[in-house]
Amino acid sequence: MCGSGMFRRSTTSGARVVLFFALCVGASDALTPFGLRVAYKGLLKSHPTLTHVAQGAGVVGTGDFGSQLWVNRNKQGAGMVDGGRVARTCWTGVLFNGILMPKYYTMIQSAIPGRSLPSTALKVAIDALIWGAAGNFSVIVIRRMLEGSKAGEAASYAKNIIGPVFKADLVVWSAFNFGLYGVIPPGYQPACTALMSAAWSAYISTMAFDH
């Protein structure tokens, strides 16, 4: 079982990864030509499932790629990335970010409509329970199983680190979701969620493999 000091160091390292990638993807989004935004919205309208799946794989793979660069920056062979791990990580992006999350966001927006403070707070609280706890736990287990761990070993590992991961999720995603449900226009919500997911994927990769 990991010590509390290791938890603190790993959480701090993960938070730096999230901040770094949030800045990077935010800057890249700001520089994106308007025409690409229109094309993206068009793809979401004409091929929503395929677009979400490709986007989910891309943002999660990008996060894992960045996590490996960050973790290995001071090691011998800095800059080396395990492409196989990135590819396998993309499958979790297909499942969670590409299939489950879009359906979930559509469902919760329909079940709890409006942008009032009570409805927004309720949606944020539900998000925290579903994705902050069960979602992150499942992602960590699946990622480690994809790298060769047995199911029981992967679940035990996830159980040991889900505490700090859940706390980080409460801080990061609660703030983001308040903006998502209460401020960000619906047309921009998929892109904003994708950018945030890339940053979060980097953090989860760091916790799942290199804490």
Side-chain angles (χ1 to χ4, degrees), residues 22 68 71-72 77 99 104 115 132 135 169 174 180 184:
Q68 291 189 53
V71 170
N72 295 331
I99 298 175
Y104 166 80
R115 294 195 164 203
D169 187 283
S174 293
L180 181 75
I184 300 173

Side-chain angles (χ1 to χ4, degrees), residues 47-80:
H47 304 286
T49 301
L50 182 61
T51 302
H52 283 306
V53 165
Q55 177 179 280
V59 297
V60 171
T62 298
D64 186 63
F65 183 89
S67 173
Q68 291 189 53
L69 286 179
W70 178 268
V71 170
N72 295 331
R73 69 193 184 283
N74 294 324
K75 296 180 181 178
Q76 186 176 1
M80 297 295 292

Side-chain angles (χ1 to χ4, degrees), residues 112 116-127 178 181:
I112 312 174
S116 65
L117 182 58
S119 64
T120 297
L122 179 57
K123 285 182 278 192
V124 170
I126 294 173
D127 280 359
F178 262 109
Y181 293 128

Side-chain angles (χ1 to χ4, degrees), residues 113-182:
R115 294 195 164 203
S116 65
L117 182 58
S119 64
T120 297
L122 179 57
K123 285 182 278 192
V124 170
I126 294 173
D127 280 359
L129 291 175
I130 294 177
W131 295 109
N136 285 319
F137 185 90
S138 300
V139 168
I140 293 169
V141 170
I142 292 174
R143 285 197 185 187
R144 289 192 65 84
M145 288 179 65
L146 288 172
E147 298 307 308
S149 293
K150 294 181 179 179
E153 295 172 349
S156 179
Y157 180 96
K159 182 179 178 181
N160 285 337
I161 67 168
I162 195 60
V165 169
F166 181 63
K167 290 177 182 178
D169 187 283
L170 284 178
V171 172
V172 174
W173 280 103
S174 293
F176 174 81
N177 283 330
F178 262 109
L180 181 75
Y181 293 128

